[in-house]
Amino acid sequence: MRLTDVTRRLAGLGGAKWTVYQKARDQVAEGHRIIDMTIGEPDVATPSGLIDAVTDAMKQGRTGYSSGRGERGLRDALAARYARRTGQPISSDQILCFPGTQTALYAVLMGVAEAGCEVLVGDPMYATYEGVIRAAGADMVPVPLRPENGFRIVAEDIEARITPRSSAILLTSPHNPTGAVLTPDDIAAIGRIAIKHDLWIVSDEVYEDLIFDGVEFASPLSVPELADRVIVVSSISKSHAAPGFRSGWSVGPVAFTNALLPLSESMLFGNQPFIADMTEQAIRQGSEVAPGMRRRFADRAGRLHDRLSRDSALKVHRPQAGMFALVDVAATGMNGNDYALHLLEQEQVAVMPGASFGSSLDTWVRVALTVNDVDFDTACDRIVAHAEQFLEQTA
């Protein structure tokens, strides 16, 4: 059987990272009561107004072919939103619409990197980043995100790893899995490096609407000096509790967007018009569910931190945004993968091994903050009880 290089480059980067999640799903299918804290599903249903919008659009015949760029109404809505948010002129010609952030990332990375290139990305990172970089033929260059710096990427650490092959910096803020949020000073320093070394900045901002109180959001798209080298990707998956609709976009320089259009059209030639209409309404009206998610996720992160810090030797990194918290399980003597499997087997609580997001999290696990409060508190009780046996062994 003859296969292409891309299949070899991506070998082992798909479902292999989700072994614990799959085991938990299998146990649920067998009738076991598992508290699943692996995946970042919003904890509310998609708003009924958006469901009505998409069904009304279908009834009105919005089921034909669409523009390869994305429907004009949606692109206009996105342009207005980003112009308001950044204070910079943003036109609809700067926007391409895709089925979700993941597809947008894939297309954008194909546009800024290729064989012989390197893409710098913080380690830990979202689990699919290595795949989209390798798919383009480029090499991923991990930049360590240090707990002592709140897991925020440091400009000097980026610059220390730049080579003549470097083509892009892939940022995530708010960050998955750490929940870190880059500051305006962080962005400015990274921007200076990108200009100095003529690098693209690809900024994944899918968690922008889930920043906790007291934290300021900053985007390189807001910096005029970076206008010709920044590409933002995002979607309504998290902000509007609509992950299954797969509706995302990219925002970048007009010249880049025009150059990427043929690739986008080769992939899918436009997203569904009825979903575009729903997304336009979502963007113009804002999210009715994001404020509640922010409050609940921040509260659960605080409860997890306080409970585990008080009653176990596990260490919790409190996020500034998003749907997850990280827990350092080194005190158990296990790495994150063994710990997650052991916790699932003994306590029926499923969490993600940190190593699924990069080697720097080998002794950590990622805990989703998206389960209901009763199950969340039960899971905290079980995690504490599970950890007690390791404390007894070392006493």
Side-chain angles (χ1 to χ4, degrees), residues 303 372-379:
R303 300 209 311 267
N372 67 72
D373 285 328
V374 172
D375 282 350
F376 189 84
D377 289 336
T378 299

Side-chain angles (χ1 to χ4, degrees), residues 68 96-111 132 135 250 260-271:
L96 290 177
C97 297
F98 295 95
T101 309
Q102 183 62 35
T103 310
L105 271 172
Y106 180 90
V108 167
L109 265 295
M110 294 290 280
V132 293
S250 67
L260 197 66
L261 178 60
L263 173 63
S264 174
E265 291 176 333
S266 297
M267 290 167 59
L268 54 102
F269 214 102
N271 54 356

Side-chain angles (χ1 to χ4, degrees), residues 59-123:
K59 290 175 181 177
Q60 292 166 16
R62 295 283 286 150
T63 57
Y65 289 118
S66 65
S67 166
R69 290 182 178 271
E71 294 297 279
R72 181 58 187 262
L74 172 55
R75 291 190 294 118
D76 285 345
L78 287 165
R81 176 200 180 207
Y82 280 97
R84 284 194 307 272
R85 197 257 278 165
T86 64
Q88 304 301 315
I90 303 289
S91 74
S92 61
D93 290 339
Q94 294 179 243
I95 293 165
L96 290 177
C97 297
F98 295 95
T101 309
Q102 183 62 35
T103 310
L105 271 172
Y106 180 90
V108 167
L109 265 295
M110 294 290 280
V112 301
E114 59 187 349
C117 292
E118 294 175 341
V119 177
L120 300 112
V121 59
D123 180 5

